[in-house]
């Protein structure tokens, strides 16, 4: 009762393609590393490409990594996932990734990533984009997505947004 | 054994906001009606706005309507839903709507609709847009979404796409 | 506006194994047929065994059948499913089957069926069992499951329970 | 490449009611504590009762706790959950809890717990029961559930089963 619980560490999602360009992987690895240095927990889809690079970066800095997997076995996780969550739900698991995060960093990505950005916006979870989808309506960019130009800036913006949300 | 099953009727999803402009509702109602006349089954999220208008149009033409609901009770369905499917999964049910359809028609819509467009593209389900999101990458529009200018054209394109898929 | 919507037809779930004994299939087919004669819509998991037999029975009496599929393609449905709902969620779709029904009839079945019985009880959906799991706590059978001895009795009890619920 | 990843720590689920008797809470707390001492990660539904007691026990021994929440906000987690996973899927999240675990310990519980036991058996995840549901078919208890008589015995059996599975 009298024991104070420490404030829980922020959970930040990194989303992006399971196949990625070398530049995207470099950025994602740096993002994972920077998040871990800041004490954040990394949550992602647990697969390859951007997800694996982000997890590898986080582990290189002693961070904790959560992989919300689409399939039915934990073997599907990349080797840098500490905690594989096995949903068996396919892409419907995208909603869980973004709902569980206090901010989302999107790196590149294909349609699955776009669905995660859209769900985050629908749920009110802040999204920071790094060389990712541009979303427009009536010719105008949608304001809730903030665009960063470097991995460090993306992490800084994500952590600031997470503090405002929680 | 010797009894031939008739070819199943195409399932076409109509997606869009649960609040909608009068123009969007008029278009959605006309889409529902045209789909029903063509013998298609309408699947949607089962709520108000574009979804309700599409169901109302389908029922006015004797069609069958399926509502894949986000909440936990069938009472949440609009009054023109014949078959309420109660998922209790919130927005994660968006994946089910588009996976179940052979083509998707998007009318206007907000972030939930954008997530459905993205999931449809991820699953390879054809998307026809009517005054909806523009999605760009590196400044270029994404080709898999076909844009229609009238409800009738949207239905025609959706049915043609559904025939190619199945 | 002034147009009265007719009362929606009751949705009754039939659950049971995807492989089944001949006796179970005979019972499930008779249940599907009796439900269709009574004007109920059949909802099930859309696969083989008990599910296919129930759908075949319903179609032989002109009924409407909904299959809530675990996988990612509509081709997975048995040939007597009119409306395949493609969840891509595996066994997590069991929650959707029972939530969507106003009463559930369980015929035989394995662990998946047991999970559906348990979820139905958790959601307050009445369950009628025909030669299926016995569930006990502290040595006593759990009362919410009513056990029937014939297909006709199971349907009668399910429809009566559905009327009380809605 | 040459860097060896350490073997991931076993994930063990503790399932049971969100309201619980004092005896059940005492047992669950002891289970959580014993799991943490053994280096296992605790996964649970993240709510009160048995889940909260198990998390409290794990935290008292320095363990890591994952809560797979049914609702749409992380605030729903009990105060001893380190990593709240926000599914927004209601009871359909039960499938994720048991799929993510290498063994499941059931303490008491109501229908939700029964559904988790059934899903674990369907997925081939070993289940250890402590004063929980008895499941019978044709009058015979179902063998895959092992019953323990003390918290320590339950943990020992769960860890042994997890080693056999992985």
């Amino acid at each position: 009762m009298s024991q104070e619980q420490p404030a829980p560490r922020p959970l930040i999602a990194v989303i992006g393609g399971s196949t990625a360009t070398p530049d995207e992987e470099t950025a994602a690895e740096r993002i994972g590393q920077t998040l871990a240095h800041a004490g954040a927990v990394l949550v992602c889809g647990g697969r390859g490409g951007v997800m694996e690079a982000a997890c590898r970066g986080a582990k290189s800095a002693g961070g904790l990594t959560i992989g919300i997997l689409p399939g039915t076995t934990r073997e599907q996780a990349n080797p840098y996932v500490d905690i594989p969550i096995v949903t068996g739900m396919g892409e419907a698991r995208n909603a869980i990734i973004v709902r569980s995060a206090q901010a989302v960093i999107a790196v590149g990505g294909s349609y699955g990533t776009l669905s995660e950005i859209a769900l985050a916006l629908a749920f009110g979870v802040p999204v920071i984009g790094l060389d990712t989808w541009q979303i427009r309506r009536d010719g105008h960019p949608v304001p809730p997505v903030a665009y960063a130009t470097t991995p460090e800036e993306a992490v800084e913006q994500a952590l600031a947004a997470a503090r405002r949300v929680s």
Side-chain angles (χ1 to χ4, degrees), chain A residues 94-113:
Chain A
N94 293 358
I96 301 178
I97 296 172
V98 297
R99 262 198 203 286
S100 298
Q102 285 145 301
V104 172
I105 300 174
V107 181
S110 185
Y111 300 127
T113 303

Side-chain angles (χ1 to χ4, degrees), chain A residues 40-53:
Chain A
V41 174
L42 171 67
V43 59
C44 70
R47 305 302 308 277
V50 160
M51 299 170 262
E52 180 164 344

Side-chain angles (χ1 to χ4, degrees), chain A residues 70-148:
Chain A
T72 59
T73 64
R74 55 171 20 218
E75 280 70 32
Q76 185 176 48
N78 73 59
Y80 306 99
V81 169
D82 292 316
I83 309 289
I85 303 295
V86 184
T87 71
M89 290 172 56
E91 297 290 318
R93 69 79 152 88
N94 293 358
I96 301 178
I97 296 172
V98 297
R99 262 198 203 286
S100 298
Q102 285 145 301
V104 172
I105 300 174
V107 181
S110 185
Y111 300 127
T113 303
L114 177 59
S115 79
E116 291 169 315
I117 294 173
L119 288 167
L121 296 174
F123 299 151
V125 179
V127 177
I128 317 298
L130 191 66
D131 188 21
T132 187
W133 293 93
Q134 298 108 35
I135 304 163
R136 287 158 189 268
R137 191 67 185 280
D138 303 327
H140 300 291
V142 168
V145 180
Y147 292 94

